[in-house]
């Protein structure tokens, strides 16, 4: 130890961030409760509790002496282990984000975000873009102010500064070439696939007893197949599927059991089971520390879509799933043949809703939002023009315009809940999932083959040491390069989509 | 405002206590989750989250500048409204309790409390008093140290200092005459009642379909009868029944649906519905402030036992409940006649377990624990002698000795979870419930009469303004005197028990 007076600075910081992480995990559980079991009349008081947790976490990190503590800790990094040095850097990044925004601005944004949510819900219901636009026009300048404040504090561009909070190490420099490549290739691939599928028979609609209990029974079989055990997972119903994060050992997920759309619960359960598997694989020794958490939103989304899209829509997995559905749901046996399930799962090209989009259209939905967000942030696009821009992009990317705002620019809640600069990770995650899965199958063909028996063990054995166990201990770029041999790009996703949609035999 | 520079001290304190109350409400929900839905593997991480919340709350209240803030606020009470002055006094009380105990002692107690819980569970299972005694002998000195530290800080005796945390305004001075009166009258009343009941026919055992779904259906009817609406209440299963506290609008409860003991769920649901009704009736305008919370453990227990014992075991209520049970559970119709239900509910004198005790024995169970706790705290009793003392008290109060430790001194978890000085409120609450209910019926006979239709409205209309709506805005003694015209005593409970068990017609 070079100076015994200086390591205490690191320890003091680590203690504060450790408490903040525990409070954030508590917050995550309270959010889960709010989506599942909270009696409706408790909403106000839950909001008060969440706000108090947020303020307490922020206050812990942005204490007046934090600046000095970081300076002191920085001047004695020789006394720290390599992992402590990484942890210190990660704490500094989080502190800079938190300290960048004046408290009054944060409060004002929270207030406006709370106010706009019912406006957004009502506007979507009534196809009333104008009322949303009026409210959002007052919120957007706050997003701009936040981005500007972070940009100055972090030495990044405003959009990169927003992204860096969710996705450290990612930036428009990474996003742009990937999105350009996808934008240039996917519309043609989509058209070609639609043409090919025009010659297929119509899928036989899924039928059977889709009561919640049966769907739940299948959902539990799915999470167990993916690799969860019932000691650390549970499944509950919620309007929006999500996985609990930040609570080691508590990897519960939510999904929705819609009797008219059994596919939704299956896909959402697999998706959230993938998120939860990442959480479950994080190293317990670094629980509640910045380096012990997931490596960002793109990394997280790569794990959910690897399970849901790469594995979960493979011919192998569907050939295991189809008879399981027949067994659990009954119904017309001809709808549960592997060719018919494949036919139903692989159809592309229809619809306007991002969360229901097929694998080829999905990244295009994200690119559309990314273009609009960047133009809104820079001032190149006015709020009033969002709807027109949305339609024009839809036309350009999908060849059709949404019939109404609920199928267009009012479909997502993100801008109304404070998530700005967040969308890119969805398409980056899909790209990374393709890159990881392709490499996993090259390294061990059983990763794909064993899915035919509902066996994810080879997949887990490949991904856990390369991704989950490394948590936030290495930069995102290193994580990707060391796992796949390449930097993150669109190439693997492009290859995957061509293989699955143009080269695989028709069902 | 006498000095505009001094009211900020009050505001600063109020903000801290407001945050602490919100975090405590969050903690309460996390505790609920831990008892209901938390996956088993999440226990460690939940413990970490609860500890972080506890430490954060304590830290908020015991900041280095708190002393100065209280002094400054005290010197400018003219600038405060009467209600703010009461709030300031209540904040000071809470601060004194929190500040009295050195942090190291608190941590050491937490550690030992965590360690002793599995020891207690195993000891109870294996009827092994010695192993519990060995662990408890190391914990008791910490309880003594805490009591001593609080005694010095508050100018109270050690046992009173412990009680004051749970039950401000109560003390051994209140407890002793009440417990002495009960100790002198209840054993004879119990013997007399048992003699009377010896001539009754044996109750026909309850029968029917006691599956959890049916028990749950009845439980929801019970909470609605008591006065809850489904916007703010829900019922879940947990090993130990409890009501959520501190979350306005979120008044969920837990109970247990034991197919072999349908009475348990009914009584526990009514008990917790009473606690929840108190929480629901607290004034929203003072939510998350010290004066806006319940008036202490005795006040809370009076509300649960008023619903469970005073109202819930009345002939009127049981005459509503009996046909409802027949309708929901089916079974032998003769077991659900009002006389048979009364016969089953009113039986006294058997058993050794506090939570299953009849109304006459229950206070005696508490008095036994109180005597032992006081002797342990003062040093008059050694840990090794608890078991013998327990048996001797049982002999003296009930005329029999427990057959093993699980039915004796190892039956309750309180000493193993850090609750010392807490037991008295159970019997004080029962006494207060009798006093309140007697007065309510005198003021409005419909309080009792309407229970025959499952209608608690007159009871609520009487109690809410006198108790719930006043929260902690007046001292406990004033609350009791203004509601009932008398200070708290054993007289009403003694009258009630004689009336119900000796004077009411036999079933």
């Amino acid at each position: 130890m070079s100076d015994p007076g200086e390591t205490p600075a690191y320890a003091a910081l680590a203690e504060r961030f450790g408490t903040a992480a525990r409070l954030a995990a508590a917050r995550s559980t309270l959010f889960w409760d709010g989506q599942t079991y909270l009696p409706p009349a408790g909403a106000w008081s839950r909001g008060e509790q969440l706000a108090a947790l947020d303020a307490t976490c922020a206050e812990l990190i942005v204490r007046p002496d934090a600046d000095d503590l970081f300076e002191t800790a920085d001047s004695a990094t020789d006394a720290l282990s390599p992992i402590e040095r990484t942890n210190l850097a990660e704490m500094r990044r989080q502190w800079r984000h938190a300290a960048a925004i004046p408290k009054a601005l944060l409060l004002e944004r929270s207030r406006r975000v709370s106010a706009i949510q019912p406006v957004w819900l009502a506007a979507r219901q009534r196809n009333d873009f104008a009322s949303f636009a009026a409210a959002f026009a007052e919120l957007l300048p706050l997003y701009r102010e936040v981005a500007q404040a972070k940009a100055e504090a972090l030495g990044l561009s405003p959009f990169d500064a927003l992204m860096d909070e969710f996705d450290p190490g990612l930036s428009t420099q990474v996003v742009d070439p990937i999105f350009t490549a996808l934008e240039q290739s996917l519309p043609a691939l989509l058209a070609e696939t639609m043409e090919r599928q025009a010659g297929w028979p119509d899928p036989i609609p899924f039928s059977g007893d889709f009561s919640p209990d049966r769907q739940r029974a299948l959902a539990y079989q799915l999470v167990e197949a993916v690799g969860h055990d019932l000691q650390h997972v549970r499944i509950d119903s919620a309007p929006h599927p999500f996985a609990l994060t930040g609570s080691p050992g508590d990897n519960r997920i939510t999904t929705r059991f819609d009797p008219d759309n059994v596919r939704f619960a299956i896909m959402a359960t697999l998706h959230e089971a993938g998120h939860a598997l990442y959480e479950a694989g994080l190293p317990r020794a670094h629980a509640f520390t910045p380096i012990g958490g997931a490596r960002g939103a793109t990394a997280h989304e790569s794990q959910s879509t690897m399970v849901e899209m790469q594995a979960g829509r493979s011919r192998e997995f569907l050939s295991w799933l189809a008879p399981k559905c027949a067994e659990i749901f009954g119904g017309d046996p001809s709808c549960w043949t592997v060719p018919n399930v494949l036919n139903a799962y692989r159809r592309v090209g229809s619809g306007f809703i991002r969360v229901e989009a097929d694998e080829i259209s999905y990244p295009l939905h994200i690119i559309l939002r990314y273009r609009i967000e960047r133009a809104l942030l820079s001032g190149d696009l006015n709020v009033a023009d969002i709807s027109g821009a949305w339609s024009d992009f839809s036309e350009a990317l999908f060849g059709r315009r949404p019939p109404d705002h609920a199928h267009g620019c009012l479909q997502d809640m993100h801008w109304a809940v404070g998530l700005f600069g967040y969308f890119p990770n969805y398409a980056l995650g899909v790209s990374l999932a393709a890159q990881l899965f392709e490499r996993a199958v090259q390294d061990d063909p059983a990763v794909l083959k064993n899915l035919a028996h509902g066996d994810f063990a080879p997949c887990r054995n490949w991904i856990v040491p390369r991704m989950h166990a490394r948590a936030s201990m290495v930069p995102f770029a290193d994580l990707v390069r060391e796992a796949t041999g390449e930097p993150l790009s669109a190439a693997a996703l492009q290859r995957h989509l061509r293989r699955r949609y143009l080269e695989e035999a028709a069902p």
Side-chain angles (χ1 to χ4, degrees), chain A:
Chain A
M1 213 184 284
S2 65
D3 181 339
E6 287 170 354
T7 312
Y10 175 84
L13 289 167
E15 200 197 333
R16 290 181 193 179
F17 278 80
T19 302
R22 286 164 174 82
L23 297 182
R27 189 198 199 286
S28 174
T29 306
L30 291 179
F31 175 82
W32 172 89
D33 183 72
Q35 298 292 312
T36 50
Y37 295 114
L38 178 72
W44 171 77
S45 125
R46 175 55 44 83
E48 292 289 313
Q49 294 160 37
L50 295 177
L53 278 164
D54 287 343
T56 305
C57 279
E59 201 274 332
L60 262 170
I61 289 173
V62 198
R63 291 220 175 140
D65 62 348
D67 207 338
D68 287 348
L69 283 174
F70 276 109
E71 206 171 302
T72 312
D74 279 348
S75 69
T77 50
D78 288 352
L80 301 177
S81 69
I83 206 118
E84 286 171 332
R85 258 173 270 159
T86 309
N87 200 39
L88 179 61
E90 192 54 32
M91 291 195 286
R92 194 184 307 103
R93 189 186 70 79
Q94 293 186 11
W95 166 62
R96 278 191 180 145
H97 271 285
I101 315 176
K103 202 174 166 187
L105 174 56
L106 211 57
L107 274 173
E108 181 62 15
R109 188 183 62 168
S110 290
R111 239 178 255 127
R112 291 230 180 255
V113 160
S114 293
I116 202 175
Q117 284 176 48
V119 175
W120 165 71
L121 265 173
R124 192 174 66 157
Q125 248 169 0
R126 295 191 308 241
N127 193 34
D128 171 15
F129 173 68
S131 71
F132 173 76
F136 190 54
E138 301 197 46
L139 179 55
L140 179 62
L142 300 178
Y143 288 167
R144 286 200 190 113
E145 273 187 67
V146 167
Q148 194 55 46
K150 291 196 170 201
E152 280 161 26
L154 300 162
L156 297 171
S157 77
F159 198 88
D160 284 349
L162 291 181
M163 274 190 72
D164 187 75
E165 185 180 348
F166 311 118
D167 245 336
L170 284 160
S171 65
T172 52
Q173 234 193 326
V174 178
V175 176
D176 283 331
I178 294 174
F179 281 14
T180 301
L182 293 173
E183 200 174 8
Q184 284 170 356
S185 57
L186 297 192
L189 177 61
L190 185 62
E192 209 178 330
T193 304
M194 287 173 76
E195 208 181 296
R196 184 181 187 225
Q197 295 184 347
W200 294 2
D202 283 341
I204 303 159
F206 294 151
S207 62
D209 175 358
F210 297 135
S211 58
D213 278 355
R214 300 214 177 195
Q215 293 199 49
R216 188 177 294 111
L218 177 61
Y220 273 102
Q221 294 202 23
L222 292 173
V223 297
E224 290 199 83
V226 167
H228 292 285
D229 73 61
L230 301 183
Q231 292 295 300
H232 73 77
V233 81
R234 53 173 293 120
I235 306 173
D236 295 275
S237 299
H240 304 283
F242 64 97
L244 198 72
T245 57
S247 281
D250 179 5
N251 305 119
R252 64 186 93 178
I253 64 169
T254 68
T255 187
R256 208 170 65 217
F257 302 117
D258 178 353
D260 298 325
N261 185 356
V262 67
R263 198 182 137 175
F264 183 89
I266 295 172
M267 292 289 92
T269 300
L270 288 170
H271 186 95
E272 302 310 333
H275 279 307
L277 208 58
Y278 191 8
E279 291 286 320
L282 294 169
R284 188 63 69 98
H286 300 294
F288 301 124
T289 71
I291 51 158
R295 183 66 288 186
T298 292
H300 232 307
E301 196 68 10
S302 77
Q303 297 309 288
S304 57
T305 57
M306 198 168 93
V307 172
E308 179 206 347
M309 296 187 185
Q310 293 292 324
R313 299 184 190 186
S314 68
R315 181 180 292 264
E316 288 76 5
F317 181 75
L318 293 177
S319 71
W320 173 81
L321 179 67
K324 192 132 294 252
C325 287
E327 180 194 319
I328 292 180
F329 300 126
D332 176 3
S334 63
C335 79
W336 300 120
T337 64
V338 177
N340 188 63
V341 171
L342 260 170
N343 191 354
Y345 264 78
R346 294 281 175 87
R347 289 287 168 157
V348 304
S350 65
F352 294 91
I353 300 294
R354 176 181 63 84
V355 297
E356 297 169 359
D358 64 80
E359 257 184 297
I360 306 176
S361 305
Y362 188 83
L364 296 173
H365 281 280
I366 300 305
I367 291 166
L368 179 159
R369 286 152 180 77
Y370 173 67
R371 302 276 181 239
I372 289 177
E373 276 192 353
R374 289 202 60 177
L376 284 169
L377 199 69
S378 68
D380 290 346
L381 183 69
N382 292 318
V383 168
D385 299 324
I386 291 175
S387 165
W390 193 288
S391 285
D392 292 346
F393 275 121
S394 286
E395 180 80 53
L397 296 172
F398 304 110
R400 58 192 194 280
R401 307 173 85 84
D404 56 38
H405 298 300
H407 290 80
C409 64
L410 296 184
Q411 67 181 269
D412 292 308
M413 70 163 75
H414 295 62
W415 297 338
V417 298
L419 288 171
F420 210 84
Y422 184 81
F423 273 122
N425 84 76
Y426 289 131
L428 296 174
V430 167
S431 303
L432 177 54
Q435 194 166 325
L436 289 166
F437 199 74
E438 185 177 71
R439 183 58 194 255
V441 175
Q442 280 165 10
D443 284 355
D444 179 6
V447 167
L448 185 58
K449 239 185 281 174
N450 285 27
L451 296 177
H453 317 295
D455 175 17
F456 280 73
C459 182
R460 281 199 312 280
N461 292 340
W462 190 89
I463 195 72
V464 169
R466 287 170 177 82
M467 188 100 185
H468 304 184
R470 306 190 78 185
S472 286
M473 290 184 275
V474 292
F476 176 83
D478 294 2
L479 202 64
V480 175
R481 204 170 344 93
E482 288 164 25
T484 70
E486 307 270 349
L488 180 63
S489 84
L493 179 61
Q494 289 170 318
R495 284 193 295 270
H496 158 73
L497 292 173
R498 289 198 72 81
R499 241 184 346 251
R500 181 170 285 178
Y501 289 91
L502 295 181
E503 293 162 20
E504 256 193 35

